[in-house]
Amino acid sequence: MNETWIIFGATSSMARAFARAVSERGDAVWLAGRDLADIGALATDCSLRGAAHAEVLEFDARKPETFGPIAAKAEAAEGTVNAAVFVGSMPPQADIDADPSLLDGVVTDSHAGPARMLHMLAPIIEARGAGCVVGVGSVAGDRGRIGNYVYGSAKAGFHTYLSGLRNRLTRSGGHVVTVKPGFVDTAMTWGIPGMFLVAAPEAVASDILKAVARKRDTIYTPFFWRFIMLIIRSIPERIFKKMSI
Amino acid sequence: MRTKPVEYTGWGRTLSATSDTARPERQSSLAAAMDSMPAPPLGSLRSYGDACLNDAKPAISTVRLDRVTAFDADTGLLTAEPGVRIGDLVRRLAPLGWLPPVMPGTGFATVGGSVAMDVHGKNHHHAGSFGQHVTALALVTPKGRKTAKTGSELFKATVGGLGQTGAIASAEMQLLRCKGDVMMVTERRIGDWDEHLGLLDASEATYTVGWIDATATGRNLGRGVLEEGETGAGLVPPAKRGRRVPFDAPSFALSSPIVRLFNAAYWRRIPQRGRTVVKPIDDFFFPLDKIHDWNRLYGKAGFHQFQCVVPLDQAPALRQMLETIAKSGLASPLAVLKRMGPGRAGYMSFPMEGYTLAVDFPNRGRARHIVEGLTEAARDAGGRIYFAKDSVATPELIAGMYPEQAKWVKAVAKLDPERALQTDLVRRLDLRGVA
Ligand SMILES: Cc1cc2nc3c(=O)[nH]c(=O)nc-3n(C[C@H](O)[C@H](O)[C@H](O)COP(=O)(O)OP(=O)(O)OC[C@H]3O[C@@H](n4cnc5c(N)ncnc54)[C@H](O)[C@@H]3O)c2cc1C
Ligand SMILES: NC(=O)c1ccc[n+]([C@@H]2O[C@H](COP(=O)([O-])OP(=O)(O)OC[C@H]3O[C@@H](n4cnc5c(N)ncnc54)[C@H](OP(=O)(O)O)[C@@H]3O)[C@@H](O)[C@H]2O)c1
């Protein structure tokens, strides 16, 4: 089959692992993001790993003018077009507290921008009756915590968007996987104190691929975060509001 | 640039360090890290001693810069970022008929670490050292970006240069042709020292190495197994990987009676008249990689590896060293003898034409003392020790071993006048001396 993956946020090490995994099975990859030099290097690596085709596309969640050309290209592509969104940003909560205007950027990067992009791709998936969307959210979106609730709220919004999109695309044969990673060993978490049970980006990528193959709706990765979050969600708000975890 | 305080050890686990570590995921952040916090670049930490340590000072890990950025399947010219592992190259390229030109005994070693140690492999007698196949290097130094072409002063200071000229950001190399991803391996029992050297001298195979029973004494001294390998095409089950040593072994695991028994059995396993077997390619080149964290088998105290090379005519001195080792009763089963060709590419490269001996010692009792004595013996024989393995030498013990050291010191001082790139090994051996 003629499968293409548009990978948004291709500079993320999680995205890199995912791009390599789909390249190794011979899919085409379009690597989208802001640091085009870096993404160019990844494109070569993916071709050498067996990607049918590897291409670099500019995508900036804060510049909607970069969305149109991607949608147009997807429209023109043959075969099944799939999308995986790894875009997100997590400035320290303290920085946002000091400068509330940062909030807009977090919401744009982690929710509004990617959602708008996916909204432009949805009709293509509907028209072809096939295609998978992978949206990387976060366990941080399951409950607002003092330490990073702006990021968490953007991810929660993205989760809700993804569940609605799933509801929509299922009708025409498309599918949406919501991915909620716990702590992953990437640039985002490197050097942040308090990380535990940190997973390798490759492990997350392989969980995502399995979820895509089995048409899972929402996954936690690594799997045990489902239980951790079950506990965290079940703490009564009256107690939770006094906790700092 | 965000850093993380990381506690880490060399592969032998006798020495450890804590460093505020930057781990760039892309080229631009490597440059940013070197700019804001000049520090030694680190790879997979497969050096045994402190070549890859910088205690209480910063470090830059280059393992996440791990992409192959160019490859020509017709000419075999490949460009890789420094964090690409040699073993990954083998798995990806061998089915296409290409191999890294030189492979150290672990596939976890990175391209950056392989250049910085100018590593040698089982084909050193034909193919020379890793650096001899490198055609260009891109560096990120405390003085900005530089490129080094084969033969230039900067190139010779960087290859085998222990990371002291800056971080290798990318390396272009010429791969070697291979027939496929399996190995035809001929194994022969060797009875003693003279036979061992004779077979190594006579071997015409592409890949040759001698396993040596470093516990055998008397007329069995130097006995072992000669392994000769050629690549081939065929079908064998892929190498099994991924078993882990879950805890530190108790110290009796490698006690001298057990090692003696093990070595004797290992030797007898080869039929009297030898045999030829077919193996997956990683099994031949990286036999120990199947067991992750095998260094834990030596227990909490860790282990030392001694590796030296002596000129061909100093074989008797090497025999003497082996005798000391065998008598000590401290050697582990991991011991290797090899004939080296003259190939080397940098001022501080380890190889010289001669015989190289590598032996592991659990870190207990007189082990340190024995390694010191062996280092002295290697020096007196006009040989040298390998910095990738050392954790015990002193500036006096290694004096004169590296005749081109002064040229290296000069070249390195230009790029890193503040000495921000020094590692614990460089300081311990005072390698950069007075520039
Ligand atoms: C089981 C085993 C078998 C081995 N067999 C062999 C063998 O057969 N032949 C052989 O030659 N060696 C052998 N070695 C040694 C090993 O190949 C070297 O120590 C090699 O340097 C390890 O690579 P690394 O990526 O782990 O580097 P590290 O150990 O992390 O670093 C080694 C040196 O390279 C420098 N360095 C690392 N990355 C960079 C970079 N990006 N830019 C500049 N400098 C850098 C460091 O500063 C340091 O000086 C063996 C080691 C093991 C554990
Ligand atoms: N690491 C974790 O523990 C963890 C846990 C849960 C969820 N996640 C999520 O996993 C995803 C991948 O993150 P990561 O951990 O790999 O960290 P990362 O390296 O910081 O990745 C974030 C990615 O988002 C991109 N991005 C940010 N703002 C953008 C914008 N305006 N336009 C386009 N791209 C933008 C970044 O691109 P640039 O390179 O151009 O900045 C980068 O590719 C993120 O959505 C993150 O929220 C991570």
Side-chain angles (χ1 to χ4, degrees):
Chain A
M1 275 297 287
N2 215 343
E3 299 270 344
T4 299
W5 280 94
I6 315 178
I7 298 175
F8 297 95
T11 54
S12 137
S13 44
M14 237 183 268
R16 191 194 318 158
F18 182 80
R20 286 172 162 176
V22 293
S23 296
E24 273 161 19
R25 50 178 217 202
D27 296 357
V29 287
W30 297 358
L31 306 166
R34 298 185 290 190
D35 184 342
L36 302 183
D38 182 72
I39 298 173
L42 179 61
T44 316
D45 189 84
C46 285
S47 310
L48 298 177
R49 280 171 196 266
H53 179 69
E55 212 167 313
V56 180
L57 304 176
E58 190 191 354
F59 170 79
D60 186 332
R62 301 190 194 189
K63 291 188 189 149
E65 64 273 20
T66 59
F67 303 178
I70 298 177
K73 204 173 151 62
E75 179 78 65
E78 279 175 26
T80 308
V81 176
N82 308 282
V85 176
F86 292 88
V87 182
S89 67
M90 187 181 74
Q93 179 73 35
D95 292 7
I96 304 171
D97 296 347
D99 177 5
S101 75
L102 291 180
L103 196 147
D104 301 24
V106 177
V107 174
T108 308
D109 297 345
S110 309
H111 174 196
R116 181 161 158 188
M117 180 72 242
L118 290 176
H119 231 68
M120 295 165 77
L121 296 175
I124 302 171
I125 293 178
E126 285 177 320
R128 301 192 184 183
C132 184
V133 170
V134 169
V136 176
S138 171
V139 294
D142 275 10
R143 197 155 192 185
R145 297 181 299 113
I146 187 162
N148 69 349
Y149 60 95
V150 167
Y151 170 73
S153 68
K155 289 295 193 184
F158 193 46
H159 294 164
T160 307
Y161 173 80
L162 291 168
S163 82
L165 186 65
R166 176 158 47 240
N167 203 189
R168 169 179 165 186
L169 293 184
T170 304
R171 285 149 216 265
S172 54
H175 184 62
V176 176
V177 182
T178 305
V179 178
K180 297 183 180 180
F183 295 139
V184 189
D185 190 11
T186 67
M188 192 179 267
T189 53
W190 181 256
I192 292 191
M195 295 288 143
F196 56 91
L197 300 171
V198 181
E202 292 76 18
V204 169
S206 120
D207 280 357
I208 296 177
L209 267 186
K210 275 184 220 142
V212 168
R214 294 178 196 158
K215 292 213 166 185
R216 299 275 304 275
D217 296 324
T218 298
I219 62 158
Y220 286 83
T221 165
F223 71 95
F224 50 77
W225 281 92
R226 179 175 295 277
F227 306 105
I228 298 177
M229 295 321 292
L230 190 67
I231 294 166
I232 289 181
R233 271 183 287 122
S234 67
I235 301 172
E237 189 68 12
R238 143 178 79 74
I239 299 170
F240 192 80
K241 70 184 181 192
K242 295 185 191 135
M243 296 171 64
S244 27
I245 49 171
Chain B
M1 164 92 345
R2 211 167 336 119
T3 62
K4 175 175 166 171
V6 179
E7 222 188 303
Y8 58 109
T9 71
W11 186 246
R13 304 209 306 155
T14 55
L15 299 171
S16 62
T18 304
S19 294
D20 277 326
T21 307
R23 191 187 62 185
E25 299 268 357
R26 61 185 93 182
Q27 292 287 335
S28 55
S29 22
L30 172 64
M34 191 57 88
D35 204 41
S36 61
M37 183 193 79
L42 304 180
S44 294
L45 310 178
R46 252 48 186 196
S47 297
Y48 285 68
D50 49 3
C52 54
L53 305 184
N54 195 28
D55 192 29
K57 295 188 176 60
I60 300 175
S61 168
T62 58
V63 293
R64 285 288 173 105
L65 301 168
D66 64 351
R67 292 164 301 192
V68 173
T69 53
F71 172 58
D72 183 330
D74 296 324
T75 61
L77 201 63
L78 175 132
T79 310
E81 291 187 313
V84 173
R85 294 180 188 163
I86 300 296
D88 288 338
L89 287 180
V90 173
R91 279 183 282 280
R92 287 169 62 184
L93 297 168
L96 305 176
W98 293 102
L99 275 183
V102 167
M103 291 169 276
T106 174
F108 290 107
T110 63
V111 165
S114 300
V115 173
M117 284 294 176
D118 197 11
V119 299
H120 56 272
K122 296 176 178 177
N123 58 351
H124 188 267
H125 53 300
H126 295 300
S129 68
F130 194 88
Q132 291 184 283
H133 305 267
V134 173
T135 44
L137 291 169
L139 294 170
V140 170
T141 79
K143 297 266 181 219
R145 288 180 189 279
K146 308 269 175 210
T147 54
K149 284 256 177 274
T150 316
S152 65
E153 182 189 74
L154 179 55
F155 187 91
K156 287 191 251 177
T158 301
V159 175
L162 307 165
Q164 301 303 295
T165 57
I168 292 154
S170 154
E172 182 192 75
M173 68 194 85
Q174 176 61 52
L175 304 174
L176 288 185
R177 273 270 176 221
C178 70
K179 295 203 188 83
D181 59 0
V182 302
M183 292 299 292
M184 311 282 292
V185 186
T186 301
E187 301 170 318
R188 257 182 265 272
R189 252 200 224 182
I190 308 171
D192 64 21
W193 175 261
D194 289 337
E195 189 187 353
H196 212 139
L197 291 196
L199 284 169
L200 286 173
D201 291 345
S203 174
E204 282 176 1
T206 310
Y207 297 97
T208 308
V209 69
W211 171 79
I212 196 161
D213 177 355
T215 63
T217 50
R219 64 186 168 80
N220 289 332
L221 185 82
R223 79 168 173 189
V225 175
L226 184 80
E227 283 188 28
E228 298 182 301
E230 300 293 344
T231 61
L235 292 170
V236 288
K240 290 195 198 87
R241 261 179 289 130
R243 255 168 299 175
R244 218 165 248 291
V245 177
F247 52 81
D248 297 341
S251 58
F252 65 80
L254 286 165
S255 66
S256 115
I258 292 188
V259 173
R260 246 197 302 275
L261 282 171
F262 176 88
N263 280 5
Y266 190 82
W267 184 74
R268 290 218 174 76
R269 145 196 88 97
I270 308 297
Q272 195 91 54
R273 42 182 197 77
R275 67 177 182 193
T276 297
V277 290
V278 180
K279 292 186 180 182
I281 200 155
D282 342 13
D283 260 14
F284 177 74
F285 288 108
F286 318 125
L288 294 164
D289 285 358
K290 275 188 291 190
I291 309 165
H292 286 289
D293 304 334
W294 61 262
N295 51 351
R296 302 185 74 174
L297 288 170
Y298 286 91
K300 267 208 198 63
F303 66 112
H304 298 286
Q305 179 168 110
F306 169 76
Q307 181 170 5
C308 73
V309 57
V310 299
L312 290 176
D313 61 4
Q314 290 293 321
L318 198 61
R319 183 179 198 278
Q320 193 63 49
M321 289 158 76
L322 181 62
E323 213 155 311
T324 312
I325 295 167
K327 279 205 195 107
S328 77
L330 277 171
S332 88
L334 298 174
V336 165
L337 185 64
K338 204 188 136 45
R339 182 168 168 160
M340 279 191 148
R344 62 206 300 272
Y347 296 136
M348 297 295 279
S349 297
F350 167 68
M352 68 161 76
E353 175 140 50
Y355 300 102
T356 177
L357 174 69
V359 185
D360 286 6
F361 298 95
N363 180 25
R364 60 167 192 257
R366 293 168 32 80
R368 253 190 96 86
H369 185 76
I370 288 170
V371 174
E372 279 165 11
L374 294 169
T375 304
E376 203 170 353
R379 182 195 64 196
D380 294 347
R384 58 174 74 113
I385 59 161
Y386 191 10
F387 294 137
K389 312 292 176 75
D390 180 58
S391 52
V392 312
T394 60
E396 299 71 49
L397 284 173
I398 61 142
M401 282 185 176
Y402 285 83
E404 291 179 300
Q405 189 175 351
K407 288 186 197 160
W408 176 73
V409 168
K410 226 176 94 208
V412 163
K414 277 190 227 159
L415 289 167
D416 179 32
E418 313 291 335
R419 299 183 179 228
L421 305 185
Q422 293 193 119
T423 56
D424 287 355
L425 174 120
V426 171
R427 272 186 296 271
R428 172 168 60 85
L429 299 177
D430 192 22
L431 291 180
R432 289 177 56 179
V434 270

